[in-house]
Amino acid sequence: MQKIWRINKKPPKRFLEQFPEYSELTLRLLWNRGLKTQEAIDEFFNPDYKEDLHDPFLMLGIKESVERILEAVKKQEKVAIFSDYDSDGVCGAVLLRDGLKIFGLEPEVYIPDRYKEGHGLNIEAVKRMAQEKVTLIITIDCGITDREEIRLANKLGIDVIVVDHHEVPELIKRNPKKCLGAFAVIDPRQKGEKYPFKELAATGVGFKLIQALFKKAREEKIKKIPEGWEKWFLDLVALATITDLMSLKGENRTLVKYGLVVLAQTKRLGLRELLKVSGIKPKLDPLLLTTNLNTFTLGYILGPRINAAGRMDHANTAYELMITQFQEEAKILAKRLNSKNQERQRLTEKIVKELESRLGLERLEEKSVCGPKIIFEGDESWPIGIVGLIAARLTNKYWRPSIVYQKLDGYCKGSARSIPGFNIIKAISECQDLLEEFGGHPSAAGFVVSCKNIEKFKQRLLKIANKEIKKKDLIPLLNIEAELAPEMVNFETHEEIQRFAPFGQENPVPLFLMRNLIVSDILPVGSNGSHMKIYLQKETEKGEIKNFTGIGYGLGGCCDIIKQGSRVDVVFELTVNNWNGTRELQLKIADLKKST
């Protein structure tokens, strides 16, 4: 698909002169990420656990939640943790459970069935907990929309602490605690929140609660907990932060950096076995606090396997994996998750092809924007557990909002993914009179609608999209950090770029541009020739010829267009390929076109 290349503007001269200790390339990357002050730059380059994490008691709801939990400890009350079924929810449930067990509580953990119960608290689960004499429910990664269920819990003598990070619905935004009827609401996005960082994953919010609980216990000598012991939970926080696509600036950067170090030496047998079955061997330098694990390990290797449990079966498998104390059980569960993930991949691929064929998406012209401004389709046989993945795949491939749903028992349950510039949750909220449930973020959302209203919902969303989305919005945009001279493509530059790791949301892997390279060879590689291997040459200012090797994943089709001897411009990520004991620089091609 045609892409727009946009090279970010060079920072102003005053900024370049303000920090002479950094190269121009580093300063360009800092400027492009909005890191413009000495304080912000120092925090970014030197994440410090003690200095960079904010006082948890600054967050609304923390103080009364800690007091309520300590009351439950004193009275040995029965406590339940109610979580979501994705990686963030499961990691949060494990974190809260392990934190509370230190105080002698044995919390029940309840993870709903995605297919039978859906997201969030539900009436039947609350009733069951009341029958089991639960007196305190702590939600994690859900609860901020569950007004009816929380009020029922109150009637049944159960206090509810909501630990969430989702947008607060307009209906309860003015006073979430009062409107929900919760004992306390901990959500950094609620009105009046003074906590300095709003982008925590739900597990990150749960971590702040446990951090506050430990701090209170130490100060009042309730429990002897070593200073900083909660760091052992950071493997869970890092995993949730990456898989839930949270910002990797500010406090999250510190949590993820230390979380990767903890993961490399994790005490969780299940995570160790999951790394092993995924072919990952963790390495750790204890002096430099560096590891070979990175955000790719979390987002594309561990995360999908953990999420596969809730998508293909039940999230309890992932939960049991993370809490098991038995090596053999850890091996069995890790293999099961790996198998479920493979099954999920095959099914997703099958449904994407079916949907493309049904809607004729493969006929969308490569060089012009045509077709509907949103993709909207559903089927009885498409499992609700993977419709979000399908929507994401379609949005990434065709660069337009995608809504995919499953028809089940008279209702359509679906997921939406969007492109920059089109706030999908805002658009869906304009249709709320047609919906049974909805929630989410500007780029991703979920909904439940009666099948009798699905066509009305579709037409209204189409109307909103046609009004708000311009043709130019449907062309993917590649943000390029800078144009690099060939002599700048070296190991020193690669090491300079790696100072910006870990990469993720709001801190993407930098893309660069080189123009007018000669193609010395090009060939399709991989299964069905879907990828491209390319060999390039470029003359330096000194008249020397530099050779480059490039790999383009999913760009195998370029081999029919670009020929040996052609001159091309390439947008690339600078990587290092470690193979057979050698290290070589490699251009990971994001896009290329013939030079003009």
Side-chain angles (χ1 to χ4, degrees), residues 174-437:
R174 185 171 295 178
N175 191 334
K177 179 180 172 181
K178 184 178 179 181
C179 292
L180 284 172
F183 182 88
V185 174
I186 310 172
D187 186 330
R189 298 181 187 274
Q190 63 182 302
K191 188 177 180 181
E193 180 61 74
K194 292 182 172 59
Y195 193 76
F197 190 71
K198 317 293 185 191
E199 300 300 319
L200 293 165
T203 303
V205 181
F207 175 79
K208 301 308 292 189
L209 174 58
I210 293 299
Q211 190 184 27
L213 187 61
F214 284 7
K215 185 178 180 180
K216 179 84 168 177
R218 279 191 293 265
E219 289 173 351
E220 299 193 1
K221 296 183 171 52
I222 297 168
K223 193 79 178 174
K224 195 173 182 180
I225 302 172
E227 190 77 35
W229 194 90
E230 69 277 1
K231 285 181 188 176
W232 286 107
F233 294 139
L234 291 180
D235 49 357
L236 300 170
V237 178
L239 187 52
T241 301
I242 298 303
T243 55
D244 225 44
L245 302 178
M246 304 310 296
S247 168
L248 273 196
K249 295 198 301 188
E251 193 169 16
N252 277 347
R253 181 173 172 83
T254 303
L255 293 170
V256 170
K257 180 181 176 180
Y258 283 87
L260 288 168
V261 172
V262 173
L263 180 61
Q265 52 188 325
T266 183
K267 296 180 178 181
R268 302 178 199 284
L269 294 177
L271 286 181
R272 287 188 202 167
E273 288 300 325
L274 197 60
L275 284 164
K276 193 180 293 182
V277 81
S278 305
I280 305 295
K281 293 182 179 179
K283 296 175 184 176
L284 175 70
D285 186 324
L287 295 177
L288 296 176
L289 286 182
T290 57
T291 172
N292 62 326
L293 305 182
N294 53 35
T295 53
F296 184 88
T297 312
L298 301 180
Y300 292 92
I301 297 175
L302 296 183
R305 287 167 170 81
I306 290 168
N307 276 323
R311 295 187 190 284
M312 304 303 294
D313 186 14
H314 198 292
N316 280 341
T317 306
Y319 171 75
E320 294 296 336
L321 173 87
M322 290 203 211
I323 67 167
T324 183
Q325 299 295 310
F326 302 103
Q327 191 76 45
E328 201 55 39
E329 184 183 27
K331 287 181 181 179
I332 292 169
L333 292 173
K335 287 178 181 177
R336 186 181 301 169
L337 286 185
N338 194 52
S339 175
K340 286 292 178 184
N341 188 52
Q342 291 170 344
E343 182 185 338
R344 186 271 308 167
Q345 289 172 320
R346 290 191 294 269
L347 186 57
T348 300
E349 193 66 39
K350 174 179 175 289
I351 293 173
V352 166
K353 287 179 179 177
E354 179 185 336
L355 199 151
E356 287 176 325
S357 176
R358 183 188 295 189
L359 297 180
L361 295 177
E362 68 275 9
R363 294 194 296 273
L364 285 178
E365 296 176 26
E366 285 289 315
K367 294 190 177 180
S368 65
V369 178
C370 61
K373 289 187 176 177
I374 61 172
I375 296 168
F376 196 112
E377 191 68 10
D379 195 274
E380 291 90 345
S381 64
W382 297 348
I384 183 62
I386 63 172
V387 294
L389 297 177
I390 296 163
R393 181 84 70 85
L394 295 170
T395 291
N396 290 335
K397 185 173 182 179
Y398 298 104
W399 205 251
R400 59 200 68 215
S402 301
I403 295 94
V404 183
Y405 60 89
Q406 181 188 27
K407 297 177 184 176
L408 188 68
D409 299 329
Y411 291 95
C412 296
K413 300 180 178 182
S415 284
R417 298 294 184 271
S418 194
I419 54 176
F422 186 68
N423 187 325
I424 192 67
I425 191 61
K426 179 176 177 292
I428 287 176
S429 67
E430 291 179 31
C431 311
Q432 61 184 290
D433 58 301
L434 300 172
L435 305 176
E436 305 295 320
E437 297 175 30

Side-chain angles (χ1 to χ4, degrees), residues 402-556:
S402 301
I403 295 94
V404 183
Y405 60 89
Q406 181 188 27
K407 297 177 184 176
L408 188 68
D409 299 329
Y411 291 95
C412 296
K413 300 180 178 182
S415 284
R417 298 294 184 271
S418 194
I419 54 176
F422 186 68
N423 187 325
I424 192 67
I425 191 61
K426 179 176 177 292
I428 287 176
S429 67
E430 291 179 31
C431 311
Q432 61 184 290
D433 58 301
L434 300 172
L435 305 176
E436 305 295 320
E437 297 175 30
F438 72 96
H441 308 287
S443 59
F447 63 86
V448 178
V449 58
S450 169
C451 288
K452 66 182 181 183
N453 286 328
I454 191 67
E455 188 59 31
K456 291 179 184 177
F457 179 41
K458 176 181 178 179
Q459 292 306 319
R460 195 180 297 180
L461 274 183
L462 274 170
K463 188 176 179 180
I464 295 168
N466 287 332
K467 180 181 177 182
E468 295 186 12
I469 299 174
K470 307 294 184 277
K471 276 194 173 184
K472 63 180 177 62
D473 297 329
L474 299 177
I475 305 175
L477 180 68
L478 280 182
N479 275 310
I480 300 166
E481 306 282 356
E483 187 170 348
L484 285 189
E487 48 267 53
M488 280 286 289
V489 180
N490 53 44
F491 281 101
E492 289 76 17
T493 298
H494 178 263
E495 288 171 10
E496 188 176 348
I497 293 165
Q498 288 308 302
R499 286 196 68 194
F500 286 78
F503 298 109
Q505 295 295 308
E506 296 191 21
N507 179 33
V509 176
L511 293 177
F512 300 101
L513 169 65
M514 272 201 297
R515 301 182 193 269
N516 206 28
L517 295 100
I518 298 171
V519 178
S520 54
D521 198 8
I522 182 170
L523 63 153
V525 293
S527 60
N528 304 317
S530 55
H531 309 310
M532 170 195 72
K533 189 86 170 180
I534 190 167
Y535 299 89
L536 301 159
Q537 293 181 334
K538 173 82 172 177
E539 188 176 334
T540 69
E541 285 187 359
K542 294 180 179 179
E544 300 170 345
I545 298 297
K546 281 206 71 170
N547 295 295
F548 306 101
T549 302
I551 183 75
Y553 296 107
L555 297 178

